Coordinates of all heavy atoms in Angstrom, one line a residue:
M18 N 0.8 -1.2 0.0 CA 0.0 0.0 0.0 C 0.9 1.2 0.0 O 1.8 1.3 0.8 CB -0.9 0.0 1.2 CG -2.0 0.9 1.1 SD -3.0 0.9 2.6 CE -4.3 -0.2 2.2
N19 N 0.6 2.2 -0.9 CA 1.4 3.4 -1.0 C 0.7 4.6 -0.4 O -0.4 5.0 -0.8 CB 1.6 3.7 -2.5 CG 2.7 4.7 -2.7 OD1 3.3 5.1 -1.8 ND2 2.9 5.1 -4.0
K20 N 1.2 5.1 0.7 CA 0.6 6.2 1.4 C 1.4 7.5 1.2 O 2.7 7.5 1.3 CB 0.5 5.9 2.9 CG -0.4 4.8 3.3 CD -0.6 4.8 4.8 CE -1.7 3.7 5.0 NZ -2.1 3.7 6.4
A21 N 0.7 8.5 0.8 CA 1.4 9.8 0.6 C 1.6 10.5 1.9 O 0.8 10.4 2.9 CB 0.6 10.7 -0.3
K22 N 2.7 11.3 2.0 CA 2.9 12.0 3.2 C 2.0 13.3 3.2 O 1.9 14.0 2.3 CB 4.4 12.5 3.2 CG 4.8 13.2 4.4 CD 6.3 13.6 4.3 CE 6.7 14.5 5.5 NZ 8.1 14.9 5.3
Q23 N 1.3 13.5 4.4 CA 0.4 14.6 4.5 C 1.2 15.9 4.7 O 1.9 16.0 5.7 CB -0.6 14.3 5.6 CG -1.7 15.4 5.7 CD -2.6 15.4 4.5 OE1 -2.8 14.4 3.9 NE2 -3.2 16.5 4.2
I24 N 1.0 16.9 3.9 CA 1.7 18.2 4.0 C 0.6 19.2 4.3 O -0.4 19.3 3.6 CB 2.4 18.5 2.7 CG1 3.5 17.5 2.5 CG2 3.1 19.9 2.9 CD1 4.2 17.6 1.2
K25 N 0.8 20.0 5.4 CA -0.1 21.1 5.7 C 0.0 22.2 4.6 O 1.0 22.6 4.2 CB 0.2 21.7 7.1 CG -0.1 20.7 8.2 CD 0.1 21.4 9.5 CE -0.2 20.5 10.6 NZ 0.1 21.1 11.9
F26 N -1.2 22.7 4.3 CA -1.2 23.8 3.3 C -0.6 25.0 3.9 O -1.0 25.4 5.0 CB -2.7 24.1 2.9 CG -2.8 25.0 1.7 CD1 -2.6 24.5 0.4 CD2 -3.0 26.3 1.8 CE1 -2.7 25.3 -0.7 CE2 -3.1 27.1 0.7 CZ -3.0 26.6 -0.5
G27 N 0.3 25.6 3.3 CA 1.0 26.8 3.8 C 2.4 26.6 4.0 O 3.2 27.6 4.2
T28 N 2.9 25.4 4.1 CA 4.3 25.2 4.4 C 5.2 25.7 3.3 O 6.2 26.3 3.5 CB 4.6 23.7 4.7 OG1 4.1 22.9 3.7 CG2 3.9 23.3 6.0
H29 N 4.8 25.4 2.0 CA 5.6 25.8 0.9 C 5.5 27.3 0.7 O 6.4 27.9 0.2 CB 5.1 25.1 -0.4 CG 5.5 23.6 -0.3 ND1 4.6 22.7 0.0 CD2 6.6 23.0 -0.6 CE1 5.1 21.5 0.0 NE2 6.4 21.6 -0.4
I30 N 4.4 27.9 1.1 CA 4.2 29.3 0.9 C 5.2 30.0 1.9 O 5.9 31.0 1.5 CB 2.8 29.8 1.3 CG1 1.8 29.3 0.2 CG2 2.7 31.3 1.3 CD1 0.4 29.5 0.5
G31 N 5.3 29.5 3.1 CA 6.3 30.1 4.0 C 7.7 30.0 3.5 O 8.5 30.9 3.6
L32 N 8.1 28.8 3.0 CA 9.4 28.6 2.5 C 9.7 29.5 1.3 O 10.8 30.0 1.1 CB 9.6 27.1 2.1 CG 9.7 26.2 3.3 CD1 9.7 24.7 2.8 CD2 11.0 26.4 4.1
G33 N 8.7 29.6 0.4 CA 8.8 30.4 -0.8 C 9.0 31.9 -0.5 O 9.9 32.5 -1.1
V34 N 8.3 32.4 0.5 CA 8.5 33.8 0.9 C 9.9 34.0 1.5 O 10.5 35.0 1.3 CB 7.3 34.2 1.9 CG1 7.6 35.6 2.5 CG2 6.0 34.3 1.1
C35 N 10.3 33.0 2.4 CA 11.7 33.2 3.0 C 12.7 33.2 1.9 O 13.6 34.1 1.9 CB 11.9 32.0 3.9 SG 11.0 32.1 5.4
F36 N 12.7 32.3 0.9 CA 13.7 32.3 -0.1 C 13.5 33.5 -1.0 O 14.5 34.0 -1.6 CB 13.6 31.0 -0.9 CG 14.2 29.8 -0.3 CD1 13.5 28.8 0.2 CD2 15.6 29.8 0.0 CE1 14.1 27.7 0.8 CE2 16.2 28.8 0.6 CZ 15.5 27.7 1.0
G37 N 12.3 34.0 -1.2 CA 12.1 35.2 -2.0 C 12.7 36.4 -1.4 O 13.3 37.3 -2.0
V38 N 12.6 36.5 0.0 CA 13.2 37.6 0.7 C 14.7 37.6 0.6 O 15.4 38.6 0.3 CB 12.8 37.6 2.2 CG1 13.6 38.6 3.0 CG2 11.3 38.0 2.3
I39 N 15.3 36.4 0.7 CA 16.7 36.2 0.6 C 17.2 36.6 -0.8 O 18.2 37.3 -1.0 CB 17.1 34.8 1.0 CG1 16.9 34.6 2.5 CG2 18.6 34.6 0.7 CD1 17.0 33.2 3.0
A40 N 16.5 36.0 -1.8 CA 16.9 36.3 -3.2 C 16.7 37.8 -3.5 O 17.6 38.4 -4.2 CB 16.1 35.4 -4.1
G41 N 15.6 38.4 -3.1 CA 15.4 39.8 -3.3 C 16.5 40.7 -2.7 O 16.9 41.7 -3.3
A42 N 16.9 40.3 -1.5 CA 17.9 41.1 -0.8 C 19.3 40.9 -1.5 O 20.0 41.9 -1.7 CB 18.0 40.6 0.7
M43 N 19.6 39.7 -2.0 CA 20.8 39.5 -2.7 C 20.9 40.3 -4.0 O 21.9 40.9 -4.3 CB 21.1 38.0 -2.9 CG 21.4 37.3 -1.6 SD 21.5 35.5 -1.7 CE 22.8 35.3 -2.9
I44 N 19.8 40.1 -4.8 CA 19.7 40.8 -6.1 C 19.7 42.3 -5.9 O 20.4 43.1 -6.6 CB 18.5 40.4 -6.9 CG1 18.7 38.9 -7.3 CG2 18.3 41.2 -8.1 CD1 17.5 38.3 -7.8
G45 N 19.0 42.8 -4.9 CA 18.9 44.2 -4.6 C 20.2 44.8 -4.2 O 20.6 45.9 -4.5
T46 N 21.0 44.0 -3.4 CA 22.3 44.5 -3.0 C 23.3 44.6 -4.2 O 24.0 45.5 -4.3 CB 22.9 43.5 -2.0 OG1 22.0 43.4 -0.9 CG2 24.3 44.0 -1.5
A47 N 23.2 43.6 -5.1 CA 24.0 43.6 -6.3 C 23.6 44.8 -7.2 O 24.5 45.4 -7.8 CB 23.9 42.3 -7.1
V48 N 22.3 45.1 -7.3 CA 21.9 46.1 -8.2 C 22.0 47.5 -7.6 O 22.3 48.5 -8.2 CB 20.4 45.9 -8.6 CG1 19.8 47.0 -9.4 CG2 20.3 44.6 -9.4
G49 N 21.9 47.5 -6.3 CA 22.0 48.8 -5.5 C 20.6 49.4 -5.2 O 20.5 50.5 -4.8
N50 N 19.6 48.6 -5.3 CA 18.2 49.1 -5.0 C 17.5 47.9 -4.3 O 16.6 47.3 -4.8 CB 17.5 49.5 -6.3 CG 16.2 50.1 -6.0 OD1 15.8 50.4 -4.9 ND2 15.4 50.3 -7.1
T51 N 17.8 47.7 -3.0 CA 17.2 46.6 -2.3 C 15.7 46.8 -2.0 O 15.0 45.9 -2.2 CB 17.9 46.4 -0.9 OG1 19.3 46.3 -1.2 CG2 17.4 45.2 -0.2
L52 N 15.3 48.0 -1.6 CA 13.9 48.2 -1.4 C 13.0 48.2 -2.6 O 11.8 47.9 -2.5 CB 13.7 49.5 -0.6 CG 14.3 49.6 0.8 CD1 14.1 51.0 1.4 CD2 13.8 48.5 1.7
G53 N 13.6 48.4 -3.8 CA 12.8 48.3 -5.0 C 12.7 46.9 -5.5 O 11.7 46.6 -6.2
V54 N 13.6 46.0 -5.2 CA 13.6 44.6 -5.7 C 12.9 43.7 -4.7 O 12.3 42.7 -5.1 CB 15.0 44.2 -6.0 CG1 15.1 42.7 -6.4 CG2 15.6 45.1 -7.0
L55 N 13.0 44.0 -3.4 CA 12.5 43.1 -2.4 C 11.0 42.7 -2.5 O 10.7 41.6 -2.4 CB 12.7 43.7 -1.0 CG 12.7 42.8 0.2 CD1 13.7 41.7 0.1 CD2 12.9 43.6 1.5
P56 N 10.1 43.7 -2.9 CA 8.7 43.2 -3.0 C 8.5 42.2 -4.2 O 7.6 41.3 -4.1 CB 7.9 44.5 -3.4 CG 8.8 45.6 -2.8 CD 10.2 45.1 -2.9
Y57 N 9.3 42.3 -5.2 CA 9.2 41.3 -6.3 C 9.6 39.9 -5.8 O 9.1 38.9 -6.3 CB 10.0 41.8 -7.5 CG 9.5 43.0 -8.1 CD1 10.2 44.2 -8.1 CD2 8.2 43.0 -8.8 CE1 9.7 45.4 -8.7 CE2 7.7 44.2 -9.3 CZ 8.4 45.3 -9.3 OH 7.9 46.5 -9.9
G58 N 10.7 39.9 -5.0 CA 11.1 38.6 -4.4 C 10.0 38.0 -3.5 O 9.8 36.8 -3.6
I59 N 9.4 38.8 -2.7 CA 8.3 38.3 -1.9 C 7.1 37.8 -2.7 O 6.6 36.7 -2.4 CB 7.9 39.5 -0.9 CG1 9.0 39.8 0.1 CG2 6.6 39.1 -0.1 CD1 8.8 41.0 0.9
L60 N 6.7 38.6 -3.7 CA 5.6 38.2 -4.5 C 5.9 36.9 -5.3 O 5.0 36.0 -5.4 CB 5.2 39.3 -5.4 CG 4.5 40.5 -4.7 CD1 4.2 41.6 -5.7 CD2 3.2 40.1 -4.1
S61 N 7.1 36.8 -5.8 CA 7.4 35.6 -6.6 C 7.5 34.4 -5.7 O 7.0 33.3 -6.0 CB 8.7 35.8 -7.4 OG 9.8 36.0 -6.5
G62 N 8.1 34.6 -4.5 CA 8.1 33.5 -3.5 C 6.7 33.0 -3.1 O 6.4 31.8 -2.9
L63 N 5.8 34.0 -2.9 CA 4.4 33.7 -2.5 C 3.7 32.9 -3.6 O 3.0 32.0 -3.4 CB 3.7 35.0 -2.2 CG 2.3 34.9 -1.7 CD1 2.2 34.3 -0.3 CD2 1.7 36.3 -1.7
L64 N 3.9 33.3 -4.8 CA 3.3 32.7 -6.0 C 3.8 31.2 -6.2 O 3.0 30.3 -6.3 CB 3.5 33.5 -7.3 CG 2.9 32.9 -8.5 CD1 1.4 32.8 -8.4 CD2 3.3 33.6 -9.7
V65 N 5.1 31.1 -6.1 CA 5.7 29.7 -6.3 C 5.3 28.8 -5.1 O 4.9 27.7 -5.3 CB 7.2 29.8 -6.4 CG1 7.9 28.5 -6.3 CG2 7.6 30.5 -7.7
G66 N 5.3 29.4 -3.9 CA 4.8 28.6 -2.7 C 3.4 28.2 -2.8 O 3.0 27.0 -2.5
F67 N 2.5 29.1 -3.3 CA 1.1 28.8 -3.5 C 0.9 27.7 -4.5 O 0.1 26.8 -4.3 CB 0.3 30.0 -3.8 CG -1.1 29.8 -4.1 CD1 -2.0 29.6 -3.0 CD2 -1.6 29.8 -5.3 CE1 -3.3 29.3 -3.2 CE2 -3.0 29.5 -5.6 CZ -3.8 29.3 -4.5
L68 N 1.6 27.8 -5.6 CA 1.5 26.8 -6.7 C 2.0 25.4 -6.2 O 1.4 24.4 -6.5 CB 2.3 27.2 -7.9 CG 1.7 28.4 -8.7 CD1 2.6 28.7 -9.8 CD2 0.3 28.0 -9.2
A69 N 3.1 25.4 -5.4 CA 3.6 24.1 -4.9 C 2.6 23.5 -3.9 O 2.4 22.3 -3.9 CB 5.0 24.3 -4.2
D70 N 2.1 24.4 -3.0 CA 1.1 23.8 -2.0 C -0.2 23.3 -2.7 O -0.7 22.3 -2.3 CB 0.7 25.0 -1.1 CG 1.6 25.1 0.1 OD1 2.2 24.0 0.4 OD2 1.6 26.1 0.7
T71 N -0.6 24.0 -3.7 CA -1.8 23.5 -4.5 C -1.5 22.2 -5.2 O -2.3 21.3 -5.1 CB -2.2 24.6 -5.5 OG1 -2.4 25.8 -4.8 CG2 -3.5 24.2 -6.2
Y72 N -0.3 22.1 -5.7 CA 0.0 20.9 -6.4 C 0.1 19.7 -5.5 O -0.5 18.6 -5.7 CB 1.4 21.0 -7.1 CG 1.9 19.8 -7.7 CD1 1.4 19.3 -8.9 CD2 2.9 19.1 -7.1 CE1 1.8 18.1 -9.5 CE2 3.4 17.9 -7.7 CZ 2.8 17.4 -8.9 OH 3.3 16.2 -9.4
Y73 N 0.7 19.9 -4.3 CA 0.9 18.7 -3.4 C -0.3 18.4 -2.6 O -0.5 17.3 -2.2 CB 2.1 19.0 -2.4 CG 3.4 18.8 -3.1 CD1 4.3 19.9 -3.3 CD2 3.8 17.6 -3.5 CE1 5.5 19.8 -3.9 CE2 5.1 17.4 -4.2 CZ 5.9 18.5 -4.3 OH 7.1 18.3 -4.9
T74 N -1.2 19.4 -2.4 CA -2.5 19.0 -1.7 C -3.5 18.4 -2.6 O -4.3 17.6 -2.2 CB -3.1 20.2 -1.0 OG1 -3.2 21.3 -2.0 CG2 -2.2 20.7 0.1
R75 N -3.5 18.7 -3.9 CA -4.4 18.1 -4.8 C -3.9 16.8 -5.4 O -4.6 16.0 -6.0 CB -4.7 19.1 -6.0 CG -5.4 20.3 -5.5 CD -5.9 21.2 -6.5 NE -6.6 20.7 -7.6 CZ -7.9 20.5 -7.7 NH1 -8.6 20.9 -6.7 NH2 -8.5 20.1 -8.8
K76 N -2.6 16.5 -5.2 CA -2.0 15.3 -5.8 C -2.5 14.0 -5.1 O -2.9 13.7 -4.1 CB -0.5 15.4 -5.6 CG 0.3 14.3 -6.2 CD 1.7 14.5 -6.1 CE 2.5 13.4 -6.7 NZ 3.9 13.6 -6.6

């Protein structure tokens, strides 16, 4: 019998936002505009995390 591991909805969203903040800070530091790039990192992490959570909960 094959049992899937139960994942709570929201775990990938949290991870995505954390990595988005880190990536946005690194790119912003390299470009010289951290506050301008950081919201894009947060939004992209939120979107990717939401898609991953939706995929794994519907699977």
Side-chain angles (χ1 to χ4, degrees):
M18 195 181 264
N19 193 7
K20 291 190 176 187
K22 183 178 173 183
Q23 184 67 26
I24 299 173
K25 290 184 180 179
F26 191 82
T28 54
H29 291 99
I30 293 174
L32 288 172
V34 170
C35 289
F36 282 114
V38 167
I39 292 169
M43 290 174 59
I44 293 170
T46 303
V48 174
N50 187 10
T51 303
L52 293 178
V54 177
L55 197 58
Y57 294 113
I59 293 171
L60 289 175
S61 65
L63 184 67
L64 180 65
V65 170
F67 178 75
L68 290 175
D70 273 338
T71 304
Y72 174 75
Y73 283 116
T74 53
R75 295 186 48 91
K76 186 174 179 183

